[in-house]
Amino acid sequence: MTNESAIEIHQNSVVSRSIYGKQVHTSDLILTGMIYVSASLSILLLAGIMGYVFFRGIPMINWKFLSSVPSTLNGTFGILGNIVNTLYIIVLTLIIAIPLGVGAAIYLNEYAKPGKTVRLIEFTTETLSGIPSIIFGLFGMVFFGNTLGLGYSILTGSLTLSLMILPLITRNTQEALKTVPDSYRSGALGIGATKWYMICTILLPSAMPGIITGIILAIGRIVGESAALLFTAGSGFILPKNLIGKILESGGTLTIQLYLCMQKAQYDQAFGIAVVLLVIVLGINGLAKYLAHRFNVEKQ
């Protein structure tokens, strides 16, 4: 055995002893235990809230509840109109916010030079994400509803929610674009591709998992929003007769109807709506994980 081999074996044994024979401090054990306890409490809290909501709300879930609208003459209570209004607001808000958010992120990450302008835009988006939703509701009511004359309508609510989710989409897209290696950019530009062609065919597909995650999270915020919509979209629950004209009519979402039920002490109906909302949110989170995983697999 050569001297080099003996030295290498000795070094490996020293490293092995230092790793496996490392002294475990009491403070490390305490902190690890606190972490596990905190995680367990969070899981138990979530399970308790969901379990109680499902326990109170599932007896209310039936076909009539999901396929009708409130009617005093027929003696029915349903949330179909609120479900349709929620879908209207989700689709219309995303149509407005996605091009603006993704476009702003592309400009900040690929075109703008680091400086005061970029810092100002980033500061603005971060400030927007921290403004309470009730402030957005007041602004939307005054500007979109009164100044522009849109009144209480789904369009007013969608424009207001677009301002709310714009920072979320922009920041997620920007971070997703930063994860794309610079070698992709230089390689595409080196073979003669234009910058816009490189962004459309290389950067955006590579960053798609992060972009989709941001969009799904934005949908979750739209579904759960109530304060801003109460001042802008109103509380109408009538099914639309004209799909296009509905965007200029009042439309209460599921969260608005839940608030009104709690205000009228209709607790059983409120818990039934809460079950539907929880199912929608769980479905959105599951869809986000599935799409992100699928795009990651396709990219590999």
Side-chain angles (χ1 to χ4, degrees):
M1 180 182 296
T2 61
N3 292 333
E4 290 80 3
S5 300
I7 293 172
E8 184 177 356
I9 293 174
H10 176 70
Q11 289 176 345
N12 291 335
S13 62
V14 170
V15 171
S16 177
R17 287 198 303 272
S18 64
I19 294 175
Y20 294 101
K22 183 179 180 181
Q23 182 180 1
V24 179
H25 297 284
T26 306
S27 59
D28 294 338
L29 293 175
I30 294 175
L31 290 174
T32 303
M34 292 175 63
I35 291 172
Y36 278 106
V37 170
S38 301
S40 301
L41 287 176
S42 301
I43 296 173
L44 290 175
L45 182 62
L46 176 62
I49 294 174
M50 293 182 61
Y52 183 75
V53 171
F54 277 100
F55 175 77
R56 291 286 304 272
I58 284 182
M60 284 295 301
I61 304 299
N62 53 51
W63 178 246
K64 182 180 290 186
F65 182 77
L66 297 174
S67 61
S68 62
V69 296
S71 174
T72 304
L73 296 177
N74 298 329
T76 60
F77 179 87
I79 59 173
L80 180 60
N82 303 111
I83 293 175
V84 173
N85 293 333
T86 302
L87 295 177
Y88 259 104
I89 286 182
I90 290 174
V91 173
L92 192 57
T93 302
L94 293 181
I95 290 175
I96 298 171
I98 289 177
L100 293 176
V102 175
I106 292 174
Y107 169 76
L108 292 173
N109 204 69
E110 304 299 326
Y111 287 96
K113 296 180 180 179
K116 293 182 178 180
T117 303
V118 173
R119 290 197 299 269
L120 178 62
I121 296 175
E122 292 178 347
F123 173 77
T124 303
T125 55
E126 292 172 359
T127 304
L128 279 175
S129 62
I131 294 178
S133 58
I134 192 70
I135 305 299
F136 282 103
L138 290 173
F139 172 80
M141 179 185 67
V142 173
F143 183 71
F144 298 120
N146 296 336
T147 304
L148 299 184
L150 298 177
Y152 287 98
S153 64
I154 289 178
L155 181 58
T156 304
S158 298
L159 290 171
T160 304
L161 289 180
S162 299
L163 299 178
M164 295 180 61
I165 68 171
L166 195 59
L168 184 61
I169 296 178
T170 301
R171 296 300 293 173
N172 275 276
T173 303
Q174 194 175 359
E175 294 301 322
L177 290 173
K178 289 180 180 179
T179 62
V180 180
D182 290 334
S183 58
Y184 288 16
R185 298 174 174 84
S186 58
L189 296 176
I191 61 176
T194 62
K195 193 166 188 176
W196 179 245
Y197 185 81
M198 177 265 295
I199 291 172
C200 293
T201 58
I202 297 177
L203 293 190
L204 289 180
S206 300
M208 195 56 66
I211 297 174
I212 290 179
T213 300
I215 293 173
I216 299 297
L217 292 175
I219 294 175
R221 183 166 187 183
I222 296 170
V223 172
E225 187 54 49
S226 59
L229 293 177
L230 191 62
F231 287 94
T232 55
S235 58
F237 52 82
I238 304 300
L239 288 173
K241 297 181 180 179
N242 184 351
L243 294 179
I244 303 299
K246 178 63 178 176
I247 63 175
L248 296 177
E249 298 176 2
S250 173
T253 60
L254 289 170
T255 52
I256 297 298
Q257 188 61 45
L258 190 151
Y259 166 76
L260 294 176
C261 288
M262 290 297 295
Q263 193 179 39
K264 299 174 183 176
Q266 298 173 343
Y267 300 122
D268 292 336
Q269 290 88 340
F271 276 104
I273 297 172
V275 170
V276 177
L277 281 172
L278 279 178
V279 171
I280 292 175
V281 171
L282 290 175
I284 289 172
N285 289 336
L287 179 63
K289 288 189 175 295
Y290 169 75
L291 291 176
H293 174 72
R294 179 163 184 177
F295 274 99
N296 281 329
V297 171
E298 290 179 353
K299 190 169 66 172
Q300 293 174 358

